[in-house]
């Protein structure tokens, strides 16, 4: 999840990396640059920015959730709203 500010999440989300800190926090991603990573935000604008940074860092198996979690919810899937600070 790369959305800033926190506005919900998809169940089983492993990491929260703000899109605007994607380059500096790349070390939080798996060491295996071929690991499958699914990236999302609310609409998919912020996640696309993060994906661009991670491609530059050598990651090769990135997937961006088209339409973000707005599309996820519109398709009938649940979005969790947790108290994250």
């Amino acid at each position: 999840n790369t959305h800033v500010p926190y506005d919900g999440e998809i169940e089983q989300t492993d990491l929260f990396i703000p899109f605007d800190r994607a380059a500096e926090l790349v070390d939080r991603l798996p060491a295996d640059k071929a690991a499958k990573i699914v990236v999302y935000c609310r609409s998919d604008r912020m996640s696309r920015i993060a994906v661009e940074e991670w491609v530059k860092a050598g990651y090769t198996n990135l997937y961006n959730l088209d339409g973000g979690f707005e599309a996820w919810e519109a398709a009938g899937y649940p979005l969790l709203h947790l108290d994250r600070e």
Side-chain angles (χ1 to χ4, degrees):
N1 188 352
T2 62
H3 189 74
V4 178
Y6 177 83
D7 198 21
E9 66 189 81
I10 295 171
E11 190 172 3
Q12 297 182 1
T13 295
D14 295 320
L15 291 172
F16 297 92
I17 299 177
F19 82 100
D20 55 350
R21 298 184 63 204
E24 75 181 86
L25 297 176
V26 70
D27 63 333
R28 293 183 62 196
L29 297 179
D32 177 3
K33 293 190 176 191
K36 182 178 182 179
I37 301 172
V38 179
V39 185
Y40 69 91
C41 65
R42 183 174 51 207
S43 67
D44 90 11
R45 184 186 67 80
M46 293 178 187
S47 57
R48 287 180 188 271
I49 293 168
V51 165
E52 288 174 11
E53 290 299 325
W54 296 332
V55 165
K56 290 178 194 174
Y59 285 85
T60 59
N61 201 8
L62 298 164
Y63 296 84
N64 184 58
L65 179 59
D66 191 34
F69 58 68
E70 288 178 339
W72 178 266
E73 278 191 301
Y77 298 108
L79 186 67
L80 304 175
H81 295 277
L82 304 175
D83 184 21
R84 299 246 185 217
E85 294 195 33

